[in-house]
Amino acid sequence: MLQPEILAKRIRANLVEQKEKLEDYLKLLDQQEIDINTRNADKLLSHAKVEKDVVKELSQLKIILEPLEKMYRTSEYQKDEALRGLRESIDRLSENVQKKAEANADNLTSTLDTLQKQIKQVRSKKVTNTNNVYSNAAPRMLNING
C-alpha cells in the first residue's frame, strides 16, 4: 500500500490537473456561447471535437482519482485538509461547467430551430416566386417548322 503522504501527493496532483481541465473547459464553453450567438458553424464543429476530448480526459482522470481517494479516506492518516478544499472547489467548478453546458445546449437548440424556420421561409418564398413567374404568363405557341 502507498504511504499516506505519497498517496495525498498523487491525489493532489490529479485534483489540480482535473481543476485545470475544468477551468479550460469552462473557458471553452464561454467561447462556445459566443459562437452560438454569432452562428459560427465552423467554430461550433471544432468546439464539439474539443469538448469530446476534454470530457474523455476528465473521465480518465476520474477513473484514476476515485480509487486513490477511496484508499486515502480509509487510511487512518488523513492529515491533508487541503485535499478536501481542493475537492470542494472542483465540485463547485463541475457544477458551473454542467450548468454552462446545459445553457449552451439550450441556446444551440433554440438557434437551430430559428435557422430551420428561416430556411423553410426562404424555400417557401422561392417556390412561391417561381410559381408567380409562370402563373401570369399567357400561353404562346412557338413555330419550330421555320
Side-chain angles (χ1 to χ4, degrees):
M1 183 171 167
L2 291 174
Q3 295 177 353
E5 295 83 21
I6 295 172
L7 186 58
K9 188 175 181 179
R10 286 188 67 188
I11 291 170
R12 183 179 302 105
N14 282 314
L15 286 172
V16 167
E17 185 178 357
Q18 185 179 25
K19 184 178 180 186
E20 289 170 355
K21 290 198 181 300
L22 284 168
E23 288 169 343
D24 291 343
Y25 188 29
L26 195 56
K27 290 175 188 172
L28 175 76
L29 290 171
D30 287 338
Q31 185 60 46
Q32 185 182 44
E33 179 183 21
I34 293 167
D35 293 335
I36 289 169
N37 291 333
T38 59
R39 298 178 179 175
N40 190 330
D42 293 331
K43 286 188 178 181
L44 288 173
L45 284 174
S46 70
H47 285 298
K49 292 175 186 175
V50 171
E51 190 172 1
K52 187 172 138 182
D53 292 340
V54 170
V55 169
K56 183 178 176 182
E57 289 175 10
L58 286 169
S59 296
Q60 290 172 343
L61 275 173
K62 190 175 181 180
I63 290 170
I64 294 168
L65 194 55
E66 284 178 348
L68 290 175
E69 285 183 317
K70 187 175 182 180
M71 286 172 48
Y72 188 73
R73 281 192 303 266
T74 58
S75 153
E76 56 209 49
Y77 303 101
Q78 295 184 37
K79 297 178 182 178
D80 198 339
E81 287 297 318
L83 288 180
R84 182 178 299 134
L86 190 53
R87 167 50 69 199
E88 290 170 358
S89 172
I90 287 171
D91 291 342
R92 283 191 303 275
L93 193 54
S94 294
E95 286 178 29
N96 289 342
V97 164
Q98 184 176 357
K99 287 177 185 175
K100 186 70 170 177
E102 289 172 0
N104 280 0
D106 291 344
N107 191 5
L108 182 58
T109 300
S110 174
T111 300
L112 288 174
D113 288 343
T114 302
L115 287 173
Q116 286 176 336
K117 289 175 185 172
Q118 289 174 348
I119 289 170
K120 285 180 183 178
Q121 288 175 346
V122 168
R123 284 183 182 161
S124 68
K125 285 181 183 179
K126 186 175 180 181
V127 169
T128 304
N129 290 339
T130 304
N131 289 340
N132 284 339
V133 170
Y134 297 109
S135 64
N136 295 331
R140 294 185 268 166
M141 298 296 256
L142 178 64
N143 186 355
I144 58 170
N145 291 331

